[in-house]
Amino acid sequence: MATRSLVTGACGFVGRHLTRRLVERGDTVIATDIGSPDPLSDVATRITFVKADLRDADAMKKLCADVDVVFHCASVVHTNATMESLVWDINYGGAMNINKACTREGGPRIVYVSSASAVYEGKDVENGDESMPYSSISQASYADSKIAAEKATLEAAKRGEIRACSLRPHVIFGPEDQRLMPNIVLRARQGRLIFSVGRTPKLSDFTYIDNLIDALLLADEALAKKPDEVNGEAFFITNGEPMGFWDFVGDVLAEMKLPPIRAAMPYHIAYAAAAVAEGIDALRGGKLGTANGLSRFAVKYMCTHHYFSIEKARRVLGYEPKVSVREGITRTIATWPAEEKAPARKSA
């Protein structure tokens, strides 16, 4: 009998890749999102799409009523100091609605997509592992809400109320992402990618989307087959090849045949600029997607080491990243339309 799978945030970057892979696996898939199902048009006849809001507890209860596993991918990524109520309602409140809907004897497994920012406190993290405590300071509603959601989910699992584990990816990229690589290229084409941030090179982890999807499927399989080892546990999931954030940017620019960055902006100037940008956004009432990489939280990220050990995922889940960062960049750009890959024209 095919596994009955529910994917929240199915039209988002992670959700759409996961939904397609589950279809390939032969699952009976329910995909849910608040947006249009257009991103899943290629598998539309092979899934059941339900438009629903995570904040609607009754809707979540119905969706979780007859499935074997819930892949909870949906969240709001917003690191500006605005929209806090919305971010918490979706990221934390939505996760609690999923947990409640799965709290019953024989209820579905939950694979929760968390974030490596759960342990980040604005300081260097070098080869961090799952023994690190949650961040004890508040830095952004996104990070705070993801921490609270993961913590509550894993505690409920350890109490035996649900079966759940959490994956903590870091800087996900790949085809169909609308944030990281497209923004790098757009800024470069517009002549706005002039400076890197920080004068001391810092290492970051990156996670190619196919590797993350592999990990999600492995986590579900492990929850089903060896719950004593996996239930209530968190796992860092990355490519396992830390590199400088601006080296990654440089590789993207080189692949696109765009000019390299040749100067660095000091941390304190970038941080002040981000604070001003956040202040202006707040005065305008706040809007999702306005950070564009320029928030105080993002600046701190770019100016600290933050890379993590994936040994626990290797040992317990059997995870092994198959696509390198370098290959991932090449694969991603290969999927872009020809006009997006064409070199930028110089103005006369």
Side-chain angles (χ1 to χ4, degrees):
M1 181 177 177
T3 299
R4 297 163 299 175
S5 300
L6 170 66
V7 180
T8 71
C11 295
F13 176 39
V14 174
R16 66 180 72 175
H17 280 268
L18 175 60
T19 298
R20 292 171 187 146
R21 186 78 73 84
L22 293 172
V23 168
E24 291 176 7
R25 192 173 76 167
D27 288 21
T28 299
V29 182
I30 300 174
T32 185
D33 204 296
I34 60 171
S36 164
D38 290 349
L40 296 171
S41 59
D42 55 325
V43 291
T45 60
R46 302 169 67 185
I47 64 173
T48 299
F49 181 82
V50 179
K51 188 170 184 177
D53 193 318
L54 283 171
R55 295 168 292 182
D56 185 337
D58 289 338
M60 294 305 106
K61 184 176 180 179
K62 291 178 182 177
L63 286 170
C64 295
D66 192 32
V67 296
D68 302 306
V69 57
V70 178
F71 293 94
H72 185 26
C73 304
S75 69
V76 174
V77 181
H78 182 71
T79 59
N80 275 19
T82 57
M83 313 294 288
E84 290 187 5
S85 179
L86 176 66
V87 172
W88 272 90
D89 285 350
I90 294 174
N91 292 357
Y92 177 74
M96 295 309 97
N97 284 339
I98 292 290
N99 291 353
K100 184 177 180 181
C102 298
T103 305
R104 62 180 185 275
E105 185 70 26
R109 305 178 294 276
I110 302 172
V111 180
Y112 176 61
V113 180
S114 184
S115 168
S117 63
V119 301
Y120 181 69
E121 293 189 325
K123 303 174 184 177
D124 287 340
V125 177
E126 300 178 70
N127 209 39
D129 64 22
E130 291 81 1
S131 68
M132 293 183 69
Y134 289 111
S135 173
S136 62
I137 63 173
S138 175
Q139 299 182 89
S141 55
Y142 168 71
D144 295 347
S145 61
K146 294 293 281 187
I147 289 169
E150 181 191 271
K151 186 176 180 180
T153 298
L154 298 185
E155 287 179 348
K158 290 175 180 177
R159 290 193 300 267
E161 297 170 6
I162 56 177
R163 290 179 294 163
C165 67
S166 174
L167 301 191
R168 297 171 174 173
H170 189 61
V171 191
I172 311 165
F173 74 102
E176 297 184 89
D177 172 32
Q178 300 300 309
R179 296 172 60 87
L180 182 61
M181 287 177 55
N183 278 337
I184 291 171
V185 172
L186 178 62
R187 283 173 175 268
R189 287 183 179 281
Q190 293 176 339
R192 296 190 293 131
L193 195 56
I194 302 171
F195 301 101
S196 61
V197 176
R199 289 177 172 170
T200 303
K202 297 291 184 177
L203 299 181
S204 174
D205 264 323
F206 297 86
T207 313
Y208 185 65
I209 185 65
D210 287 5
N211 295 334
L212 174 56
I213 303 307
D214 287 345
L216 287 164
L217 300 187
L218 288 168
D220 175 40
E221 182 181 347
L223 261 180
K225 294 182 177 179
K226 48 181 181 180
D228 291 345
E229 293 184 54
V230 182
N231 192 46
E233 296 293 324
F235 301 89
F236 285 111
I237 300 295
T238 74
N239 262 53
E241 46 178 325
M243 63 188 295
F245 178 83
W246 294 104
D247 290 334
F248 177 91
V249 172
D251 285 350
V252 173
L253 296 179
E255 184 79 18
M256 293 293 294
K257 297 180 174 56
L258 291 168
I261 296 172
R262 299 188 183 278
M265 180 184 296
Y267 165 79
H268 68 276
I269 294 177
Y271 191 82
V276 170
E278 288 189 60
I280 293 172
D281 183 53
L283 288 173
R284 292 174 174 171
K287 185 178 179 182
L288 295 178
T290 54
N292 288 325
L294 189 63
S295 68
R296 287 168 292 176
F297 183 78
V299 169
K300 282 184 179 180
Y301 244 46
M302 288 185 278
C303 294
T304 51
H305 290 299
H306 41 97
Y307 59 94
F308 305 88
S309 169
I310 57 174
E311 289 309 308
K312 181 179 177 182
R314 280 177 162 140
R315 184 182 71 254
V316 178
L317 304 181
Y319 170 68
E320 194 62 45
K322 298 175 183 176
V323 181
S324 70
V325 171
R326 177 65 263 174
E327 183 182 351
I329 291 173
T330 300
R331 287 189 183 189
T332 301
I333 292 174
T335 66
W336 292 356
E339 60 270 19
E340 293 185 21
K341 292 185 284 188
R345 294 182 180 178
K346 294 182 180 179
S347 58

